[in-house]
Amino acid sequence: MGAAWRDTIGRKTNFNQILEYVKEIRGMGMEVCCTLGMLEKQQAVELKQAGLTAYNHNLDTSREYYPNIITTRTYDERLKTLEFVRDAGINVCSG
């Protein structure tokens, strides 16, 4: 599942709906992978509790070159999301 947004802040209704989708898909016995942009720690925990299997969040390039191609978020913000996902016990898929 993917969403075209920078992060989930201010999208509580949308995020809650995604949690329900994750639960429903897991209920069918399938694994679930999402890419939802940057997450806060609690959101990663909630996704894990809903049954999320993996989270995709790409770094896109090296730290040194990153500012040349990405201006909407920092490299460290990306790493923080990956840390939250990993700490919640969700598999990380990142390129």
Side-chain angles (χ1 to χ4, degrees):
M1 275 187 281
W5 54 48
R6 179 183 183 275
D7 54 46
T8 56
I9 297 170
R11 301 182 186 276
K12 183 137 179 84
T13 300
N14 299 100
F15 188 73
N16 287 337
Q17 190 171 24
I18 288 168
L19 293 174
E20 289 305 313
Y21 294 154
V22 170
K23 290 175 190 175
E24 288 179 32
I25 293 167
R26 288 296 287 169
M28 291 186 269
M30 293 188 284
E31 293 184 351
V32 186
C33 178
C34 286
T35 181
L36 306 171
M38 293 179 295
L39 295 176
E40 296 176 0
K41 184 176 183 172
Q42 182 58 35
Q43 292 171 319
V45 169
E46 290 175 31
L47 284 165
K48 175 63 176 179
Q49 291 170 345
L52 189 68
T53 310
Y55 194 82
N56 172 262
H57 194 66
N58 293 328
L59 294 173
D60 301 312
T61 190
S62 68
R63 177 184 291 280
E64 295 75 24
Y65 195 71
Y66 192 86
N68 296 318
I69 63 168
I70 306 291
T71 59
T72 58
R73 61 207 70 164
T74 68
Y75 196 80
D76 287 328
E77 286 175 315
R78 297 259 187 174
L79 291 178
K80 189 54 95 174
T81 289
L82 293 172
E83 177 186 332
F84 292 154
V85 168
R86 204 173 34 251
D87 289 350
I90 301 168
N91 293 318
V92 171
C93 175
S94 181

